[in-house]
Amino acid sequence: MNRPAHVGVLTSGGDAPGMNAAIRAVVRSALYNDLRITGIIEGFDGMVNGRSMPLGSRDVSNIIQRGGTILRSARSAAFRTPEGRMRAMAHLQEQGIDALVVIGGDGTFAGAKVFEQEHGMPVIGLPGTIDNDLSGTDMTIGFDTATNTAVEAIDKIRDTASSHDRLFFVEVMGRDTGFIAMSAALAAGAEYVMLPEERQTIDELVRVLEEGSRTKSSSIVVVAEGDEEGGALTVARKVKERFDHYDIRVTVLGHLQRGGAPTVTDRVLASRLGVAAVEQLLNGVHGGMLGLVNDQVTFTPFDIAINTRKTPQHDLLRVQAILSI
Ligand code: F6P
């Protein structure tokens, strides 16, 4: 592959805190290397519809601390069709864009992979999702911020739970995965955590709660949104059916976990990966995702990043159980 001259950058899928820091790093790294850089608006949809803007260094000033994504994000139905992808390629060619950096999660990388195969456009992916469910990186951009937001909320819920002797079920994000739930439960000292990756029954949950109730007057159960027993409302209802002496409340944290200023960890991660993305394209590396593993930037082909299931460390669950007695 020839040295790219003009890089396009986009964010796709659910936004994540730190995406702006990643955009800033990609833009400045491209300019540092004398490349042109264009921001594509609203992810793959913007590529299909030809919505983009040239970016200079000052266009990404003052965004490292901002949540969301200045390039906006969308889930694109048109890009899932070969015709849509052809239109997208035509728009890139019109502008002379000859390499892409895409920031998003597994859906984003699935799209990137097909696009690269069909049209030969070199693509590098950066892991931008609060879910942390991509293999090939210890942490995804946004996970640390989202988990800190969840912990801050649970700490507040703990105040009111203990003041009223209540059992709270707190639902955190994670449609398919329990990374946020696991770390938030451990960090907030929750009594129990329900994860989509683990077979946990209501019987077992009730057993732990009943045992705890001998010495505790309030408890917090963190439930991942995608847990197989249902979300927090369903789990709470099932527990209430068996033990109506519990004074139960439910809080669904929802999208507030996706917003807010990124933490230092997310800003540093995004900055390192953004710079590396442009450098790797210049080295002729593409067709995969960059991540940080043991503090080293690593490359994982899209296929492996998408198809290798990453699950929360089982040991964290054991530690959480020990510490919640
Ligand atoms: O992928 C990130 C995520 O926040 C999931 O944890 C959540 O299930 C989903 O996005 C929500 O998506 P939407 O914003 O489309 O409702």
Side-chain angles (χ1 to χ4, degrees):
M1 175 197 140
N2 295 329
R3 184 185 199 272
H6 186 171
V7 176
V9 58
L10 62 83
T11 49
S12 168
D15 63 318
M19 278 185 164
N20 279 328
I23 294 166
R24 171 181 178 269
V26 172
V27 169
R28 294 207 170 147
S29 171
L31 296 172
Y32 180 83
N33 286 288
D34 297 322
L35 305 177
R36 284 180 65 197
I37 174 90
T38 289
I40 295 156
I41 315 295
E42 286 181 0
F44 292 131
D45 227 30
M47 232 158 80
V48 174
N49 299 316
R51 286 196 304 277
S52 62
M53 58 178 179
L55 291 170
S57 189
R58 295 288 72 79
D59 293 318
V60 291
S61 293
N62 247 320
I63 65 166
I64 192 170
Q65 77 279 22
R66 282 171 53 194
T69 159
I70 60 160
L71 294 177
R72 305 161 54 82
S73 192
R75 304 193 201 273
S76 175
F79 194 74
R80 291 203 195 98
T81 66
E83 298 74 33
R85 292 192 291 273
M86 256 166 40
R87 280 174 58 199
M89 187 60 192
H91 282 127
L92 295 183
Q93 278 170 334
E94 268 165 33
Q95 296 172 82
I97 293 174
D98 52 8
L100 278 178
V101 178
V102 299
I103 307 166
D106 51 0
T108 306
F109 298 157
K113 189 190 138 211
V114 176
F115 190 64
E116 190 173 81
Q117 277 169 352
E118 276 177 4
H119 296 283
M121 172 65 65
V123 191
I124 280 271
L126 297 185
T129 164
I130 63 166
D131 289 345
N132 200 32
D133 57 346
L134 290 168
S135 59
T137 190
D138 290 340
M139 249 197 255
T140 55
I141 298 165
F143 169 68
D144 187 64
T145 307
T147 310
N148 273 287
T149 301
V151 169
E152 203 182 308
I154 299 167
D155 287 348
K156 289 176 180 165
I157 288 167
R158 174 77 71 187
D159 290 344
T160 179
S162 55
S163 302
H164 287 272
D165 295 351
R166 279 176 173 159
L167 167 60
F168 264 86
F169 290 86
V170 184
E171 182 177 303
V172 298
M173 271 189 160
R175 194 165 29 209
D176 307 309
T177 186
F179 278 96
I180 296 177
M182 184 66 256
S183 288
L186 185 53
E191 273 60 34
Y192 201 80
V193 56
M194 311 245 340
L195 311 171
E197 291 88 349
E198 298 285 331
R199 287 245 141 267
Q200 294 151 302
T201 61
I202 298 292
D203 283 344
E204 171 62 7
L205 166 62
V206 166
R207 189 194 63 72
V208 171
L209 290 173
E210 284 290 284
E211 199 168 304
S213 70
R214 288 198 219 121
T215 55
K216 299 177 188 188
S217 56
S218 69
S219 291
I220 292 180
V221 177
V222 176
V223 184
E225 126 188 59
D227 185 72
E228 76 274 11
E229 288 288 349
L233 278 161
T234 311
V235 173
R237 184 180 42 74
K238 289 177 180 172
V239 171
K240 184 79 179 167
E241 273 164 14
R242 290 181 205 199
F243 290 95
D244 71 352
H245 60 274
Y246 284 128
D247 188 10
I248 292 178
R249 293 292 184 276
V250 177
T251 304
V252 177
L253 296 182
H255 285 76
L256 75 83
Q257 295 158 95
R258 287 240 295 257
T263 58
V264 173
T265 301
D266 276 328
R267 295 183 201 196
V268 171
L269 176 65
S271 299
R272 287 181 74 180
L273 294 183
V275 167
V278 173
E279 289 173 351
Q280 290 306 322
L281 284 172
L282 287 169
N283 289 336
V285 176
H286 56 87
M289 180 198 93
L290 296 184
L292 213 57
V293 177
N294 292 332
D295 207 35
Q296 297 296 315
V297 176
T298 52
F299 174 84
T300 305
F302 284 137
D303 254 347
I304 296 176
I306 299 163
N307 296 320
T308 315
R309 190 146 173 75
K310 179 175 155 192
T311 54
Q313 284 169 291
H314 200 76
D315 193 49
L316 293 187
L317 200 58
R318 191 182 69 85
V319 172
Q320 187 276 330
I322 291 171
L323 297 181
S324 62
I325 56 171

